[in-house]
Amino acid sequence: MPGLNRIDTYINKIFWKIFFISMASFLFINIIIDLFDRLKMFVDNKAPVHMYVYYYLIKTPYLLNYMIPVVTIFSVIVTLHKLIKNNEILIFFNAGLSYLRIAAVLIASGFIISLSSFLLSEFVVPPCNYLIDKTESQIKKRPFVRTQDKTHFSYRGKNGFIYSIQSYHHSEQKLAGLLIEQWENNRILYRADIHEAVFVGSGWLCSDVYIKLFDENRQEIPVLVDQPVKQLLLIIPETPADFSKNIKKPDEMNFVELNRFIRDKQSAGLDMTRYRVEYQMKFSFPLISFLVTLLGLGVTIAKPRMPLSTIIGFSLGISFLFWGIVATSRSLGSSGSISPLIAAWLPDILLFFLALSLILIKQRGTFK
């Protein structure tokens, strides 16, 4: 980092050394724990050794993404503990530096870690999550097909067609509970509510069809046929191959793809509350690393002579507590009890005010 003075460079070197050593240690422990948990899957399916290696290679970004906040707060506290233990921080105080000025390089490092976490979660983790799912299918010697039978999904087709589907049966090539809308220039042309549709080669043979037509002012136009229409051959561009395409899971999409996915489904009238929570967490979760940096500073001010064993226990304890808050908030948001925005950002807000209160209340007189 250009422009840092010698003290900043010294603290920065200590921090990143502890950070990378801790990250490697935590990663190794997590892989061992996960391996014991999945050993039966590998052994029962007689997976070759290279599949073990490949599986954990592509799973590493996922594990790193969730370990970064834990490693960050641990590294911040251990760095400051080292400076306090060696009385180096008193030398810095005598040089006229405040505690926050000494910690400025750690705050900057926390911001860099948060930015890196965001880039990792957007560009590396989603495709790796897809490969994890695919690799598990290969290990279990199963075809990697998620969408043979699907329920409650929507599909944006060609020529302005939007489909909302209650269920799709792959083997029978049959759609049930089908709602079709055609839009043009942000104007709905017609809507068809279909009880069931079966693909017959030239089109979809539909049964019990209700049709609505609309004028340019979105006013309904009377349809001069008896409804429901008992049978109707519907010729549309979409075939069973379109409806049976693999659709990514939310954790396999970046925020652009997830936002588009939400818009498409909302336009079909589907409830996307759970996915809106996940979309907001695409931004709130990476910020946690920066916030735990502030928390680490606050904790060190409150307990400057904390033993190393206590540091390890505290880092793990605060991490488990925070994951519990995140899980609870996410659950409340997904159920609709609180808004998706609040559900995603509430843990960050709580963490920020906790860290800020510790820093502001405890800073005066610390280390004296």
Side-chain angles (χ1 to χ4, degrees), residues 80-95:
L80 292 171
H81 176 269
K82 179 179 174 64
L83 297 177
I84 295 167
K85 182 180 179 181
N86 296 335
N87 292 320
E88 292 169 312
I89 200 164
L90 296 178
I91 298 174
F92 300 153
F93 284 157
N94 291 332

Side-chain angles (χ1 to χ4, degrees), residues 228-242:
V229 179
K230 293 301 180 181
Q231 281 199 329
L232 176 68
L233 183 63
L234 184 64
I235 308 298
I236 54 176
E238 281 64 44
T239 66
D242 295 297

Side-chain angles (χ1 to χ4, degrees), residues 104-143:
V105 67
L106 299 178
I107 296 173
S109 296
F111 177 79
I112 292 172
I113 292 170
S114 277
L115 180 61
S116 301
S117 176
F118 174 76
L119 296 175
L120 179 70
S121 64
E122 283 301 296
F123 299 106
V124 182
V125 173
C128 284
N129 283 342
Y130 178 84
L131 289 175
I132 290 169
D133 209 3
K134 185 176 180 179
T135 303
E136 286 186 359
S137 296
Q138 292 174 347
I139 292 172
K140 296 174 182 177
K141 299 178 175 61
R142 298 175 182 172

Side-chain angles (χ1 to χ4, degrees), residues 61 93 175 177 209 244 335 342:
F93 284 157
L175 298 165
V209 182
S244 62
S335 66
I342 294 175

Side-chain angles (χ1 to χ4, degrees), residues 24-150:
S25 302
F26 275 81
L27 178 62
F28 177 76
I29 293 170
N30 273 272
I31 288 177
I32 294 300
I33 293 172
D34 192 81
L35 176 60
F36 276 109
D37 187 49
R38 300 182 186 277
L39 193 59
K40 189 176 187 299
M41 176 186 74
F42 287 105
V43 173
D44 287 353
N45 294 283
K46 300 179 180 179
V49 175
H50 74 268
M51 289 300 292
Y52 288 69
V53 176
Y54 177 71
Y55 180 81
Y56 283 103
L57 184 64
I58 59 176
K59 195 164 187 175
T60 293
Y62 169 82
L63 296 174
L64 288 176
N65 192 44
Y66 281 93
M67 287 191 310
I68 284 175
V70 183
V71 174
T72 301
I73 189 171
F74 176 79
S75 301
V76 168
I77 298 177
V78 171
T79 299
L80 292 171
H81 176 269
K82 179 179 174 64
L83 297 177
I84 295 167
K85 182 180 179 181
N86 296 335
N87 292 320
E88 292 169 312
I89 200 164
L90 296 178
I91 298 174
F92 300 153
F93 284 157
N94 291 332
L97 299 178
S98 69
Y99 178 70
L100 291 181
R101 175 59 190 88
I102 295 169
V105 67
L106 299 178
I107 296 173
S109 296
F111 177 79
I112 292 172
I113 292 170
S114 277
L115 180 61
S116 301
S117 176
F118 174 76
L119 296 175
L120 179 70
S121 64
E122 283 301 296
F123 299 106
V124 182
V125 173
C128 284
N129 283 342
Y130 178 84
L131 289 175
I132 290 169
D133 209 3
K134 185 176 180 179
T135 303
E136 286 186 359
S137 296
Q138 292 174 347
I139 292 172
K140 296 174 182 177
K141 299 178 175 61
R142 298 175 182 172
F144 182 58
V145 180
R146 300 170 175 167
T147 54
Q148 287 188 346
D149 293 319
K150 294 160 55 177

Side-chain angles (χ1 to χ4, degrees), residues 213-258:
L213 302 177
F214 300 89
D215 62 20
E216 59 185 12
N217 297 317
R218 298 190 181 183
Q219 298 297 315
E220 188 175 343
I221 302 173
V223 179
L224 302 178
V225 295
D226 293 333
Q227 300 199 52
V229 179
K230 293 301 180 181
Q231 281 199 329
L232 176 68
L233 183 63
L234 184 64
I235 308 298
I236 54 176
E238 281 64 44
T239 66
D242 295 297
F243 296 120
S244 62
K245 286 179 179 176
N246 282 334
I247 296 177
K248 292 180 179 179
K249 298 177 182 178
D251 64 355
E252 297 170 356
M253 305 181 199
N254 58 38
F255 78 90
V256 175
E257 294 172 325
L258 185 55

